[in-house]
Amino acid sequence: MGPGEEDVVGRLTSLKQYNQQGNRAPHKPLLLLMAIGELLGTGSSELAFSEVEDRLGRLIKEYVPTSSSVRQTAAYPFWRLQNDQIWVLDREVSSDSPRQLEGATGRLTSSIERVLLDNPETLQTVVASTLAQQFSPTLHDDILAAVGLDSLEYASGTKRTAGGAKRSAEWRRRILQDWQEACAFCGFDASLGGAPVGIEAAHVRWVNLDGPNHLDNGLALCSLHHKLFDRGVLGLSTEHEVHVSRHYKASSARGQAVYDLVGVRLNPRPGTALPAPKHIEWHCQQVFHGPAVA
Ligand SMILES: [Zn+2]
């Protein structure tokens, strides 16, 4: 990687973020990924505010925790990404109000576009690092699809040492064993040829955001409930009762079955570590789409 490319990676992966008290604020990274998706698809990262206002606004609603004190609008990153010297608007706009941005277009600077288009590896590194910095690994495919980058084969940006991979495999094994290879929320247990199937070890505080591989930072969850937990549909109280987001909607009986989990109390066999309050509080603040269904 040449010096110019390293500089681009550095600038794109260290966006100034509203990050008081360690709050997640992935507004700018979502816009960046969307611009890279546009660049790969059309050869230009140019996005008209009117075209992305809805699309980006929806992504922000989906992936930014409702506890975030940053406004949940597309206008916020569309205007503020200029401060990071990687994004330019086609006109002077004096604030991040949607009305002011009407008719404006934005794009990555031409030098950044050139580096990304000429160096597929750099582009992949930027995408992988942005995802790793912001989102649980279980969400990466969904986000790539939403920004038009699902065709991109990216190498994981989280560089793990051999020791780290071994520790994390051991953690998974212990979590599944302690929770008796059954979903802590619904009890789903299944095996195929003697091995659990559709049951996963889930971090409460995401491992890529300082969540430790400790037994009090994990649960066994079925694949569906793991996804809903990482997307903030499901949460936990510090008394270990399951919460369901009031923003969750489903019309079929199977979809509505999620409401059956409201108030279910985790009840593992004796000796199993329950998730620690500090990790639950992090999930509640940074992931769960509150408020919860009463
Ligand atoms: Zn389940």
Side-chain angles (χ1 to χ4, degrees):
M1 213 184 278
E5 294 141 50
E6 258 171 50
D7 180 49
V8 165
V9 173
R11 277 157 70 193
L12 295 184
T13 56
S14 56
L15 305 178
K16 297 186 191 86
Q17 287 181 50
Y18 189 87
N19 202 13
Q20 266 184 349
Q21 291 127 20
N23 284 328
R24 293 175 55 232
H27 307 68
K28 285 180 183 175
L30 286 170
L31 173 57
L32 171 64
L33 291 172
M34 194 173 267
I36 294 176
E38 188 72 15
L39 179 65
L40 263 194
T42 68
S44 159
S45 64
E46 186 172 77
L47 295 168
F49 180 69
S50 57
E51 280 167 29
V52 299
E53 188 179 6
D54 270 2
R55 201 154 62 95
L56 180 58
R58 261 202 316 276
L59 273 184
I60 288 173
K61 280 210 178 69
E62 271 182 73
Y63 290 103
V64 175
T66 39
S67 63
S68 167
S69 42
V70 178
R71 287 187 299 117
Q72 311 253 39
T73 69
Y76 177 84
F78 204 88
W79 187 72
R80 290 190 185 247
L81 195 57
Q82 292 180 99
N83 298 337
D84 296 271
Q85 321 292 329
I86 60 167
W87 177 254
V88 285
L89 299 186
D90 66 336
R91 66 190 67 181
E92 283 273 309
V93 179
S94 60
S95 82
D96 60 1
S97 98
R99 191 173 302 171
Q100 289 220 22
L101 284 164
E102 219 171 280
T105 64
R107 65 184 302 159
L108 297 170
T109 63
S110 51
S111 60
I112 285 178
E113 282 191 346
R114 212 165 33 243
V115 169
L116 292 177
L117 283 175
D118 291 350
N119 302 280
E121 271 183 32
T122 303
L123 186 147
Q124 290 187 4
T125 304
V126 168
V127 170
S129 312
T130 303
L131 288 171
Q133 281 173 10
Q134 295 293 335
F135 306 103
S136 165
T138 56
L139 306 180
H140 293 182
D141 287 345
D142 291 351
I143 292 166
L144 289 173
V147 298
L149 283 169
D150 41 338
S151 59
L152 184 70
E153 277 186 38
Y154 76 99
S156 172
T158 32
K159 293 196 181 71
R160 287 180 199 286
T161 59
K166 201 174 160 197
R167 270 196 303 281
S168 119
E170 169 64 13
W171 175 84
R172 272 166 216 291
R173 199 185 59 71
R174 276 293 306 274
I175 290 285
L176 290 184
Q177 187 182 30
D178 283 6
W179 290 86
Q180 296 182 285
E181 298 173 350
C183 176
F185 292 173
C186 71
F188 177 86
D189 64 340
S191 62
L192 185 66
V197 62
I199 317 276
E200 299 160 2
H203 286 95
V204 178
R205 179 168 184 147
W206 298 346
V207 70
N208 55 330
L209 293 178
D210 303 326
N213 282 329
H214 293 166
L215 297 178
D216 67 359
N217 187 37
L219 289 167
L221 293 176
C222 67
S223 304
L224 174 64
H225 292 146
H226 188 183
K227 174 60 74 79
L228 298 183
F229 189 61
D230 281 352
R231 286 291 290 269
V233 169
L234 297 176
L236 275 176
S237 72
T238 47
E239 288 79 44
H240 303 108
E241 284 180 353
V242 180
H243 281 169
V244 176
S245 168
R246 249 190 244 175
H247 302 281
Y248 175 77
K249 291 206 167 44
S251 49
S252 69
R254 295 303 298 269
Q256 292 192 350
V258 165
Y259 294 117
D260 296 344
L261 298 175
V262 172
V264 164
R265 195 182 281 267
L266 301 186
N267 187 23
R269 67 177 166 187
T272 298
L274 283 159
K278 62 183 174 187
H279 300 316
I280 293 175
E281 275 157 18
W282 181 89
H283 185 273
C284 217
Q285 290 294 317
Q286 305 298 331
V287 181
F288 184 65
H289 285 248
V293 174

